[in-house]
Amino acid sequence: MKILVLNGPNLNLLGLREPELYGSRSYTELTNYVNQTAAELGLEVEQRQSNHEGVLVDWIQSALGTADAIVINPAAYTHTSVAILDALKAVALPAVEVHLTEPDERESFRRVSYAGLACEKRFAGQGFLSYRLALEYLREKNLECGMRNSE
Ligand code: DQA
């Protein structure tokens, strides 16, 4: 199972960026954590980060035919981007929304999630663990589908 893991704007500054909210670990540490978790779970992951909405849309589109599922932390675009929502709907791959913090417990403008409307699951407020929970969820779901298909 191949999973495209996408991270949106400012997540490249993890470690420096508001560490009281996002923690002291860097984006490289996050990608290492996700790679390690994926290896443990027997999943293949491709990880990408961009500060640009259109680039994220292009990468979502590129998942068609190349990935089985998407894990996405759209960061600030969560709360603004109909384009990312539409791209997720267009490719119609299983998608999971992740956040390091819990946006619902922050400013009211973070309570809207456009991307979330096209995601079947959300893991938030658990730091790096949110990404692990998303990978575990997709692996579990894939195993269940495999079992059903072999019945
Ligand atoms: C975030 C939450 C968003 O509200 C914020 O804009 C981010 C990061 C998170 O991972 O907690 O950039 O997606």
Side-chain angles (χ1 to χ4, degrees):
M1 187 184 199
K2 182 166 174 190
I3 299 171
L4 178 63
V5 179
L6 294 179
N7 283 294
N10 301 306
L11 291 169
N12 55 314
L13 292 185
L14 281 183
L16 290 175
R17 174 191 186 199
E18 298 178 272
E20 66 289 356
L21 280 178
Y22 297 110
S24 58
R25 289 188 287 177
S26 66
Y27 178 69
T28 303
E29 285 175 279
L30 174 62
T31 56
N32 289 341
Y33 172 87
V34 168
N35 279 334
Q36 220 165 32
T37 304
E40 219 179 276
L41 298 174
L43 300 169
E44 193 185 331
V45 282
E46 183 179 334
Q47 300 189 69
R48 296 184 178 180
Q49 186 277 331
S50 178
N51 294 328
H52 304 278
E53 185 177 16
V55 173
L56 292 163
V57 168
D58 287 344
W59 287 340
I60 292 167
Q61 291 187 8
S62 77
L64 210 51
T66 63
D68 302 303
I70 297 173
V71 170
I72 184 164
N73 182 347
Y77 290 136
T78 308
H79 320 299
T80 62
S81 180
V82 177
I84 288 175
L85 165 64
D86 285 350
L88 289 168
K89 280 183 155 176
V91 299
L93 289 166
V96 178
E97 175 187 10
V98 295
H99 298 282
L100 296 156
T101 63
E102 176 46 273
D104 288 350
E105 291 172 4
R106 297 176 60 189
E107 303 95 322
S108 58
F109 61 82
R110 294 186 202 274
R111 288 194 197 126
V112 172
S113 171
Y114 289 100
L117 297 172
C119 291
E120 55 187 71
K121 198 86 185 158
R122 172 190 233 218
F123 295 99
Q126 310 202 56
F128 285 12
L129 182 61
S130 297
Y131 291 76
R132 169 181 268 276
L133 295 173
L135 294 178
E136 284 178 352
Y137 168 81
L138 287 169
R139 179 173 178 271
E140 202 57 38
K141 186 185 141 129
N142 195 48
L143 289 177
E144 277 166 22
C145 288
M147 264 153 55
R148 231 174 291 129
N149 290 339
S150 65
E151 272 169 15

